[in-house]
Amino acid sequence: MSFSPLIRQLIDSLRILPGVGQKTAQRMALQMLERDRGGALRLAQALTRAMEGVGHCKQCRSLSEDEVCQLCLDPRRDDSLLCVVEGPMDVYAVEQTGFRGRYFVLKGHLSPLDGLGPEAIGIPDLLARIEAGNFSEVILATNPTVEGEATAHYIAQLLANKGLIASRIAHGMPLGGELELVDGGTLAHSIAGRRPIQL
Amino acid sequence: MSFSPLIRQLIDSLRILPGVGQKTAQRMALQMLERDRGGALRLAQALTRAMEGVGHCKQCRSLSEDEVCQLCLDPRRDDSLLCVVEGPMDVYAVEQTGFRGRYFVLKGHLSPLDGLGPEAIGIPDLLARIEAGNFSEVILATNPTVEGEATAHYIAQLLANKGLIASRIAHGMPLGGELELVDGGTLAHSIAGRRPIQL
Ligand SMILES: [Zn+2]
Ligand SMILES: [Zn+2]
């Protein structure tokens, strides 16, 4: 027996959610149909509004529905510290450690084999952001993977040429891990233990 | 730092999904925004279409977008066997055991404390379905919980008064468990070992 077309399409569509396989998608679809159609319709509306309304902050490139995000506009934050991360999800992870400086969000990491060079991941925009600001230190919080390390090293070299201090978050987190998956305590430790990059 | 309103609404809405807590909802929302907006918009559309288009089959009361579902219309199924379950999700679970008779889907189980009596869970409709059909056996596949057992016993007594054989799925599954959560093999065993109900 197969599910009817509308139910099957719903199950297939649910599988785009991270960590949701066929069986979980079936449970989700049938449970919504049986127990919470109102909630499911509200979810549909929230999805549409968010996908159509949320863009990227023109200053930090994080997810934002305003041209410049609340975090960039907040006057109480430390304008001397800039934290560079690989993606918007990392901003929320670093925020939970208590960091209260500014951010810049790259579009991932350098990946020459995939044709992703400095331009593609937004490094020229990062340099423009740094020129426009008044930072005393740039914390490179790319992931502690081979690609993340290479990206941090590349940026550190550019900044050294400009006489700026670049620091790297300490390896308190497992090698090969991803920032957004690590617990807040480990990441806080890692930020507290950051060191200048030796070139 | 808090998420912007549209992102926060999306995260809240995702929490209606079974098994999705705050942290998982955040990951889902940010990942869709970053990596798969097209998929998220298709999900929104599938949700709306399913919630608005899927109703209940007027014969078996299972989920269906047609007035009478494909399963009820299928001429190759065994018209002498009727399997009674507590909800539409259980139909899919029983199908996977190889059962190829007909179904009737109750609206849950008897629950006097919640004011759910025979009328509320659709027992009059079940009796009408049995009268209209030509069943030699009615398999009571309500959940093996206290309420499911009581519901099965109540129906068995009604059927005995009409001279019909009611059987109960065997306790191959854990007591207190739910049909939709059990693996197919256990449930198949349980159906194969069904016994007449002793009143
Ligand atoms: Zn911003
Ligand atoms: Zn039907």
Side-chain angles (χ1 to χ4, degrees):
Chain A
M1 177 203 192
S2 55
F3 295 95
S4 69
L6 289 181
I7 302 179
R8 199 165 59 238
Q9 282 156 28
L10 176 55
I11 292 168
D12 289 347
S13 303
L14 284 164
R15 297 205 48 192
I16 68 146
L17 296 171
V20 173
Q22 181 65 19
K23 196 133 193 180
T24 306
Q26 284 177 18
R27 259 185 84 70
M28 286 176 167
L30 297 176
Q31 189 156 322
M32 280 189 283
L33 282 164
E34 268 310 286
R35 296 179 203 167
D36 196 2
R37 293 192 184 212
L41 287 170
R42 283 191 295 278
L43 171 56
Q45 199 172 55
L47 279 165
T48 306
R49 284 185 183 156
M51 297 308 140
E52 290 174 350
V54 176
H56 292 87
C57 169
K58 73 170 186 180
Q59 197 159 318
C60 72
R61 313 284 157 148
S62 189
L63 289 166
S64 171
E65 56 216 68
D66 303 312
E67 204 181 9
V68 178
C69 75
Q70 291 306 309
L71 200 149
C72 282
L73 289 174
D74 188 345
R76 291 160 304 177
R77 300 186 69 104
D78 186 345
D79 279 319
S80 69
L81 285 177
L82 182 69
C83 180
V84 178
V85 292
E86 290 188 25
M89 290 183 259
D90 300 328
V91 171
Y92 300 99
V94 174
E95 273 298 283
Q96 276 162 33
T97 69
F99 176 81
R100 289 297 177 266
R102 304 293 180 181
Y103 289 95
F104 188 87
V105 181
L106 296 169
K107 296 193 193 99
H109 47 244
L110 291 174
S111 184
L113 292 178
D114 302 314
L116 295 177
E119 297 260 341
I121 70 165
I123 288 181
D125 294 334
L126 168 61
L127 296 179
R129 175 75 183 94
I130 290 171
E131 299 270 325
N134 191 23
F135 301 107
S136 62
E137 181 183 351
V138 177
I139 304 174
L140 301 170
T142 51
N143 286 324
T145 55
V146 173
E147 298 87 355
E149 294 290 354
T151 305
H153 199 80
Y154 179 87
I155 296 169
Q157 228 151 4
L158 291 177
L159 298 185
N161 298 342
K162 294 176 185 290
L164 258 164
I165 297 176
S167 57
R168 181 81 178 108
I169 51 172
H171 277 192
M173 59 185 67
L175 279 168
E178 290 188 8
L179 239 76
E180 61 186 77
L181 295 178
V182 101
D183 66 289
T186 305
L187 189 54
H189 200 80
S190 169
I191 287 192
R194 65 188 188 270
R195 312 237 176 123
I197 292 190
Q198 309 293 341
L199 295 175
Chain B
M1 177 202 192
S2 55
F3 295 96
S4 68
L6 289 181
I7 301 180
R8 198 165 58 237
Q9 281 156 28
L10 176 56
I11 292 169
D12 289 347
S13 304
L14 283 164
R15 298 203 49 193
I16 68 146
L17 296 171
V20 173
Q22 180 66 18
K23 195 135 192 178
T24 306
Q26 283 179 18
R27 259 185 83 69
M28 286 176 166
L30 297 176
Q31 189 156 321
M32 280 189 282
L33 281 164
E34 268 311 285
R35 297 179 200 165
D36 196 3
R37 295 195 183 211
L41 287 170
R42 283 191 295 279
L43 171 56
Q45 200 172 55
L47 279 165
T48 306
R49 283 186 184 156
M51 297 309 139
E52 290 174 351
V54 176
H56 292 87
C57 168
K58 73 170 186 181
Q59 197 158 319
C60 71
R61 313 282 157 148
S62 188
L63 289 166
S64 171
E65 56 216 68
D66 304 312
E67 205 181 7
V68 178
C69 75
Q70 291 305 309
L71 200 149
C72 282
L73 289 174
D74 188 345
R76 293 161 303 179
R77 300 187 69 103
D78 186 344
D79 279 318
S80 68
L81 285 177
L82 182 69
C83 180
V84 178
V85 292
E86 290 188 26
M89 291 182 259
D90 300 328
V91 171
Y92 300 99
V94 174
E95 273 299 282
Q96 277 163 32
T97 69
F99 176 81
R100 289 296 177 267
R102 304 293 178 181
Y103 290 95
F104 188 89
V105 181
L106 297 170
K107 295 193 193 101
H109 47 245
L110 292 174
S111 184
L113 291 178
D114 303 313
L116 296 176
E119 296 259 341
I121 69 165
I123 289 181
D125 294 334
L126 167 62
L127 296 179
R129 174 75 184 93
I130 290 170
E131 298 271 325
N134 191 23
F135 300 109
S136 62
E137 181 183 350
V138 176
I139 304 173
L140 300 170
T142 51
N143 286 323
T145 54
V146 174
E147 297 86 356
E149 295 290 352
T151 305
H153 199 81
Y154 179 87
I155 296 169
Q157 229 151 3
L158 291 176
L159 298 184
N161 298 342
K162 294 176 184 291
L164 258 163
I165 297 176
S167 58
R168 180 81 178 109
I169 51 172
H171 276 193
M173 59 184 67
L175 279 167
E178 290 190 6
L179 240 77
E180 61 185 78
L181 295 179
V182 101
D183 65 288
T186 306
L187 189 53
H189 200 81
S190 169
I191 287 190
R194 66 187 187 270
R195 311 234 175 125
I197 292 189
Q198 308 294 338
L199 295 177

